Amino acid sequence: MMTEEKVLQLAAEGQEQLWLNPKKVAFEKVRSGFPVTEREMDEAEQRLLRFAPYLAKVFPETAETGGIIESPLREIPEMAVWLRKEYGTEGKWLLKMDSELPIAGSIKARGGIYEVLQYAEQLAMEQGLLQPEDDYAILAEEPFRQLFAKYTIQVGSTGNLGLSIGIISAKLGFQVIVHMSADAKQWKKELLRSKGVTVIEYPQDYGKAVEEGRKQSQLDPMSYFVDDENSRSLFLGYTVAGRRLSQQLEEQKIPVDAEHPLFVYLPCGIGGAPGGVAFGLKHQFGDHVHCFFTEPTEACCMLLGMATGKHDEIAVQDIGLSGKTQADGLAVGRPSAFVGRIMDPLLSGCGTVEDIRLFHWMRQLLEREGLFIEPSSCAAFALAPRWKDLQEYICKEGLQGKAITHIAWATGGRLVPQEEREQYIHYGE
Ligand SMILES: *Cc1c(COP(=O)(O)O)cnc(C)c1O
């Protein structure tokens, strides 16, 4: 186990590392002590079911799944062969393809859309326009649109959260303002503007975009701010992935138990998405699932927050890092205030990766499996080169010789335009 000092030194030098979480404990010891409850997770799942008829109606791409926003889980045998040859990894590899999620094309289609739906439902119920047992397809009708048009939804984003919030809010009829950080890609801003969303651009980073968005939203009593730094609602939307993944594994006859541990690698920005997913997974599989967050070396904010115990009181800039990365979805300098604290007893560790590898892995996945995912998503492979370091964890947990299933959680990609894909594919060659 590395000392905190050593972890910080490696981070400050921009070196890749695997930090193992010394605070992780047996799940049953902490199960009932979280600020987010199982009952709330059930409610989130129920709410998404209520909204399914509406989503199926207004987003035809979700009609096939009956308005349920879910992604495929796919084995990637050729990539596994390559990872083994290159890094010595052992075990089966699966790709959880949130990169293909409908509507927003990224993992933000889970949390972001959920939070806006929850708010819309609350408004409509307060007005007496909606009952829980109604067919929610009526939300597409004029009285609802007129109601929502009186309200503004605002959010700060590096891109993907803005896309998910912007697209669903505009569809419901809300006014929307997305505060975009400097990292945000041009095509994301243009896509949003084409849907009638107001995009305000900031030359600074994500933290600034959120701060300004929050401030402007507070000035308007008819405005609702989706607060990525603190939102329980976003978090809850992500947790639903746990139960759904459990179903998919069952359907594919992939066991998860003491003999078949599941290792899940989740690209992390501010922590809400990977935190919510990991939280849901722990409730499904307890100690049989081992969750790791993965971050770019220059934006390893969750690693810093958790390793030092300072959480949102430390930023990557405090140790001289830039916070800048080609993985725009992960370009966050300061972790969420509450996610790291929830993850303290749950997370197995954090791995970091240099940007240049992300593009390499992107090309490998495309060549070997014919799958495109965006650079941020490729951070899901960050633990492969750390395979030797991971042995310490495997020994400590008594998992030597067990059949590990690895899930790389691909967090985005579907909406990336073809020209952008070409640029990514040739980046750094
Ligand atoms: C937002 C995002 C993440 C990480 O989510 P956080 O909630 O910021 O931790 C990972 N990958 C992609 C592609 C994203 O857009």
Side-chain angles (χ1 to χ4, degrees):
M1 182 75 68
M2 281 190 284
T3 60
E4 184 184 319
E5 200 180 19
K6 180 76 183 164
V7 171
L8 287 177
Q9 186 203 329
L10 288 174
E13 288 168 3
Q15 294 203 45
E16 293 181 341
Q17 62 174 311
L18 171 62
W19 168 76
L20 296 177
N21 177 15
K23 294 186 184 159
K24 178 176 173 280
V25 298
F27 181 63
E28 286 309 322
K29 279 196 184 148
V30 289
R31 178 167 206 141
S32 56
F34 291 105
V36 174
T37 64
E38 293 188 64
R39 167 133 179 242
E40 287 175 297
M41 292 183 354
D42 290 341
E43 284 168 7
E45 200 177 6
Q46 291 304 316
R47 181 167 287 113
L48 288 169
L49 285 175
R50 288 199 293 279
F51 271 98
Y54 168 74
L55 294 175
K57 180 170 181 184
V58 299
F59 294 105
E61 57 195 294
T62 66
E64 205 181 307
T65 55
I68 297 297
I69 302 169
E70 197 42 71
S71 73
L73 175 68
R74 238 194 84 157
E75 197 177 344
I76 43 171
E78 298 304 321
M79 186 71 179
V81 167
W82 183 80
L83 290 168
R84 181 185 192 119
K85 185 168 72 80
E86 196 74 10
Y87 306 115
T89 59
E90 286 159 29
K92 190 199 285 280
W93 281 82
L94 304 168
L95 194 69
K96 179 55 179 162
M97 297 180 63
D98 278 8
S99 46
E100 291 298 314
L101 278 176
I103 305 176
S106 80
I107 194 167
K108 304 299 190 310
R110 297 183 183 279
I113 290 176
Y114 175 74
E115 177 154 359
V116 174
L117 295 179
Q118 183 178 23
Y119 180 58
E121 183 183 54
Q122 180 200 325
L123 287 175
M125 284 184 177
E126 280 168 8
Q127 297 296 315
L129 289 174
L130 186 69
Q131 309 294 329
E133 55 284 353
D134 285 341
D135 175 348
Y136 276 32
I138 57 171
L139 280 149
E141 291 167 11
E142 208 42 45
F144 292 93
R145 298 187 55 78
Q146 279 173 13
L147 169 66
F148 299 143
K150 294 186 214 153
Y151 296 86
T152 304
I153 294 194
Q154 306 200 39
V155 65
S157 175
T158 64
N160 285 339
L161 184 62
L163 278 185
S164 102
I165 301 285
I167 293 171
I168 183 70
S169 304
K171 185 66 90 178
L172 281 158
F174 286 106
Q175 298 178 56
V176 203
I177 305 176
V178 175
H179 302 263
M180 287 284 204
S181 64
D183 314 278
K185 303 280 186 233
Q186 193 59 33
W187 67 266
K188 295 184 183 173
K189 300 173 200 167
E190 283 163 16
L191 179 64
L192 282 173
R193 288 186 174 123
S194 78
K195 301 202 182 280
V197 173
T198 303
V199 177
I200 303 180
E201 299 175 54
Y202 297 87
Q204 298 96 340
D205 74 354
Y206 170 80
K208 183 72 181 174
V210 172
E211 187 188 322
E212 282 302 313
R214 191 187 286 124
K215 230 188 265 170
Q216 291 197 25
S217 188
Q218 277 163 358
L219 295 174
D220 178 357
M222 300 296 272
S223 174
Y224 176 90
F225 187 62
V226 176
D227 195 338
D228 200 12
E229 289 177 344
N230 301 294
S231 172
R232 290 164 59 81
S233 179
L234 272 178
F235 189 84
L236 279 166
Y238 294 119
T239 63
V240 174
R243 209 165 287 177
R244 304 240 190 101
L245 184 81
S246 171
Q247 267 169 22
Q248 285 182 318
L249 286 165
E250 227 167 85
E251 281 160 19
Q252 299 184 22
K253 306 212 164 18
I254 298 167
V256 179
D257 53 36
E259 292 309 311
H260 305 85
L262 185 65
F263 279 42
V264 182
Y265 311 110
L266 296 148
C268 178
I270 198 157
V277 171
F279 190 77
L281 287 172
K282 291 304 279 187
H283 280 80
Q284 284 300 307
F285 301 113
D287 294 329
H288 301 320
V289 69
H290 304 266
C291 299
F292 294 87
F293 288 175
T294 61
E295 298 179 294
T297 47
E298 285 293 324
C300 56
C301 64
M302 192 55 82
L303 174 125
L304 293 186
M306 290 189 70
T308 60
K310 291 185 180 164
H311 298 296
D312 61 323
E313 280 146 36
I314 187 166
V316 297
Q317 287 81 6
D318 297 344
I319 63 163
L321 293 171
S322 67
K324 289 197 169 34
T325 166
Q326 292 291 324
D328 51 333
L330 314 180
V332 178
R334 188 183 293 281
S336 153
F338 87 104
V339 173
R341 290 183 178 90
I342 290 182
M343 293 315 294
D344 265 339
L346 300 179
L347 194 70
S348 295
C350 280
T352 59
V353 55
E354 281 183 44
D355 278 11
I356 194 70
R357 284 208 215 251
L358 303 176
F359 295 92
H360 191 45
W361 294 335
M362 171 187 296
R363 287 189 283 269
Q364 293 300 334
L365 195 65
L366 191 60
E367 263 172 43
R368 284 161 208 282
E369 304 284 351
L371 300 173
F372 171 83
I373 62 176
E374 66 183 81
S376 302
S377 293
C378 296
F381 294 103
L383 263 74
R386 309 264 74 75
W387 186 244
K388 280 213 181 72
D389 304 331
L390 196 58
Q391 299 312 305
E392 179 186 333
Y393 179 82
I394 289 175
C395 287
K396 195 182 75 184
E397 297 277 323
L399 304 176
Q400 305 100 309
K402 307 227 158 139
I404 299 175
T405 303
H406 306 273
I407 296 187
W409 207 285
T411 44
R414 174 179 179 150
L415 297 186
V416 178
Q418 196 53 38
E419 317 85 82
E420 298 286 324
R421 293 186 184 202
E422 297 292 331
Q423 278 182 21
Y424 282 155
I425 289 159
H426 296 294
Y427 182 88
E429 262 182 355

